[in-house]
Amino acid sequence: MDPYQDSKMPSAPPMEGEAPPPPAFTPSAPPAFIPNEAPPPFPATSPPPPHTANDPAGESMPLLATDPDELPPAYADDVGCKQGCKRTQHLRSLFFTLGLFTVIILRVLAAFSLLDPQSNRTLQNPGAFAGIFIGVYLVYIIECACSSTRSFVHNRTNDPEQHVTHVTNQKPVIIWHVQCYHYETRVRTRTVSNGNGGTRTETYTERVRVNTHSATALFDAPQWDDVSRPFVPPGHGLTKLTFHKQYVFGSTEAANRYTSSMHRFRSENDRDVHQDFSEKFQIDGFTGYMMGVRRGHELPCSAFPRYFWIFSLLGLSWFFRLHLNAHVGVYSHTYVKRILQ
């Protein structure tokens, strides 16, 4: 699994009265990398193949662009129970919550012998029921801990503008990583039953991956600027702020310099039969989720971390999220760093 890969979220719809964003840029598959072979230069009339730079809040793709208006706009929704439920139903949380309550309901039915005999015996067995319930409950709690709602309520701020200004002024950092490896076939033995009460030893082969050389490097962008859209302070008393990040190239020459440096790094670290390559785009101080609070606004109970965990531990996380959605607006902002050289 790629250690630098993050989850994707759909891009935000435009605000009312604002022109819709252009069609999404769909990249073609990148060319295959041939070890120890220099990459061909890009024609001056066409941009180089794009390189993905992911972030925890959504998808970002480096483009050859100079106009910040080409980027998708931020958006804001009305606050209310109807709009909150329409915005997102938290289906994953609903699924695990229903699973948790289903196990409890089945246990009650089994206590009155209302299920089939086999199910009654299984659920009436304390050990079997405890194993099933704990397994479902642990999966439910893990989902709660990894949810964006937890990130929002644990990261509140009264001054989101200051945070955005800080991140806007930070230099983009692109990290390359390669892992070289090969496969080996190994002979192993195991003891199995022969069906007559005895055992026998059998030999089998197994193909395993062996990692060898690895290397990491930083791509230095000597000249860059920030072409993000202006951050408009949210008008709601309580706002879910979702941040994204991406980088673009200001010219074909800058894109060619990036691609040549990347291929040179890969070629210099080609030390085995196979090679995995990944990149990570970072901005100092970046966070994917934040809750903006207008000064003097009275917070609902669902805006506090302690209530998030109380409701979650009681199996009521889905209801907590619906309550929070009914009291917040949403706003999306994308940091765009343009590499000029």
Side-chain angles (χ1 to χ4, degrees):
M1 182 175 182
D2 187 350
Y4 297 114
Q5 189 167 356
D6 305 311
S7 58
K8 296 182 180 179
M9 292 180 59
S11 59
M15 289 191 297
E16 181 178 357
E18 187 171 0
F25 179 83
T26 304
S28 58
F33 173 71
I34 303 176
N36 298 322
E37 182 174 320
F42 293 107
T45 57
S46 62
H51 300 275
T52 303
N54 295 321
D55 64 270
E59 179 179 347
S60 56
M61 181 69 64
L63 311 172
L64 189 64
T66 57
D67 184 4
D69 291 334
E70 296 177 5
L71 302 172
Y75 67 98
D77 285 348
D78 296 328
V79 178
C81 183
K82 181 178 179 180
Q83 288 294 335
C85 294
K86 182 179 179 181
R87 182 188 305 148
T88 176
Q89 293 79 37
H90 295 285
L91 296 180
R92 184 172 57 185
S93 174
L94 176 61
F95 174 78
F96 289 118
T97 301
L98 290 177
L100 193 63
F101 280 97
T102 298
V103 173
I104 297 174
I105 292 173
L106 290 176
R107 177 63 181 86
V108 174
L109 294 176
F112 292 94
S113 300
L114 298 178
L115 302 177
D116 62 90
Q118 179 62 37
S119 299
N120 288 331
R121 286 193 299 269
T122 301
L123 294 174
Q124 289 174 2
N125 184 319
F129 172 74
I132 296 173
F133 180 80
I134 292 174
V136 175
Y137 188 76
L138 284 178
V139 174
Y140 161 82
I141 289 295
I142 291 173
E143 191 280 330
C144 294
C146 297
S147 66
S148 61
T149 302
R150 185 202 64 82
S151 300
F152 282 125
V153 299
H154 280 79
N155 196 14
R156 298 200 312 266
T157 179
N158 294 114
D159 194 1
E161 297 93 334
Q162 181 180 4
H163 169 77
V164 171
T165 300
H166 170 76
V167 179
T168 299
N169 294 329
Q170 298 304 306
K171 181 178 181 179
V173 177
I174 301 175
I175 304 174
W176 295 328
H177 179 79
V178 294
Q179 176 65 65
C180 299
Y181 64 97
H182 64 272
Y183 290 99
E184 296 180 357
T185 300
R186 297 179 178 176
V187 179
R188 303 188 185 278
T189 59
R190 60 188 172 194
T191 301
V192 297
S193 173
N194 59 13
N196 298 321
T199 59
R200 60 184 175 84
T201 301
E202 66 178 21
T203 302
Y204 67 99
T205 59
E206 182 180 48
R207 189 169 183 256
V208 297
R209 169 171 165 162
V210 179
N211 292 330
T212 52
H213 174 74
S214 64
T216 302
L218 299 179
F219 173 74
D220 179 40
Q223 293 186 16
W224 62 275
D225 62 357
D226 191 288
V227 292
S228 309
R229 283 177 175 269
F231 178 77
V232 180
H236 299 295
L238 193 64
T239 308
K240 286 182 176 181
L241 303 171
T242 304
F243 296 100
H244 311 264
K245 63 180 184 290
Q246 66 179 163
Y247 64 88
V248 299
F249 297 111
S251 65
T252 303
E253 290 75 15
N256 284 337
R257 176 179 177 272
Y258 170 90
T259 306
S260 298
S261 299
M262 181 267 291
H263 277 283
R264 183 167 54 252
F265 167 72
R266 294 189 62 176
S267 179
E268 291 173 353
N269 290 279
D270 178 32
R271 309 288 180 84
D272 211 329
V273 179
H274 305 285
Q275 182 190 79
D276 284 341
F277 172 79
S278 60
E279 70 173 26
K280 185 177 182 180
F281 175 46
Q282 294 181 335
I283 306 175
D284 183 47
F286 175 84
T287 182
Y289 305 103
M290 182 175 289
M291 185 82 76
V293 183
R294 189 174 60 217
R295 296 186 186 277
H297 179 73
E298 183 178 355
L299 297 177
C301 64
S302 52
F304 293 92
R306 62 178 179 271
Y307 290 111
F308 169 81
W309 286 112
I310 290 174
F311 276 78
S312 296
L313 292 174
L314 293 176
L316 303 174
S317 175
W318 183 69
F319 302 98
F320 175 94
R321 300 181 199 192
L322 292 185
H323 184 270
L324 179 62
N325 274 2
H327 290 81
V328 300
V330 296
Y331 188 88
S332 176
H333 181 74
T334 301
Y335 301 102
V336 184
K337 304 295 183 177
R338 181 169 58 184
I339 299 174
L340 301 175
Q341 189 182 66

